[in-house]
Amino acid sequence: QLQASGGGLVQAGGSLILSCAASGSTFSIMSWYRQAPEKQRKFVAGISSGGSASSGGRVVYADSVKGRFTISRDNAKDTVYLQMNSLKPGDTAVYYCKGRAWDGVDYWGQGTLVTVSS
């Protein structure tokens, strides 16, 4: 239902764009989480169905990524994106997308690995 892509190896200070394409369902809220080695999965960013604030929606970021990451969605393509700039080694993790269906059920995509070298 959710297919994440775009991970890879990048040097510190670099950028990556992650994509998560949904199929079979539409989602009210789409989010990105990440899980570093031997750590718990943590919230990164979320976006409502309305998109950015300028579009009448709502966007939320974890403090650790504010100002560096941007989440967006294309409802016509049922895809959510995560633009990651100024990457740090501490951003190294497996990134997962999550979609919350209109009935409140959460669906997870498979992870995509982001490795930031120093």
Side-chain angles (χ1 to χ4, degrees):
Q1 295 236 1
L2 293 168
Q3 182 73 33
S5 61
L9 173 64
V10 64
Q11 289 187 331
S15 299
L16 279 176
I17 301 176
L18 305 183
S19 300
C20 179
S23 61
S25 297
T26 58
F27 300 98
S28 59
I29 300 172
M30 298 191 79
S31 307
W32 288 97
Y33 286 71
R34 66 186 181 185
Q35 187 167 16
E38 301 182 359
K39 293 189 176 180
Q40 290 187 331
R41 191 173 300 186
K42 293 185 177 181
F43 171 81
V44 174
I47 187 167
S48 68
S49 60
S52 65
S54 61
S55 302
R58 186 182 180 203
V59 173
V60 180
Y61 295 98
D63 288 343
S64 58
V65 306
K66 280 182 182 177
R68 300 188 298 123
F69 291 11
T70 302
I71 188 171
S72 61
R73 67 189 290 173
D74 184 336
N75 290 333
K77 296 181 179 180
D78 291 328
T79 301
V80 63
Y81 304 95
L82 186 67
Q83 171 74 51
M84 305 186 294
N85 298 327
S86 302
L87 283 162
K88 306 173 182 180
D91 295 317
T92 295
V94 177
Y95 283 71
Y96 297 90
C97 62
K98 185 184 82 171
R100 174 158 293 176
W102 293 97
D103 61 2
V105 177
D106 289 336
Y107 296 86
W108 290 90
Q110 94 291 0
T112 184
L113 176 64
V114 173
T115 303
V116 184
S117 63
S118 58

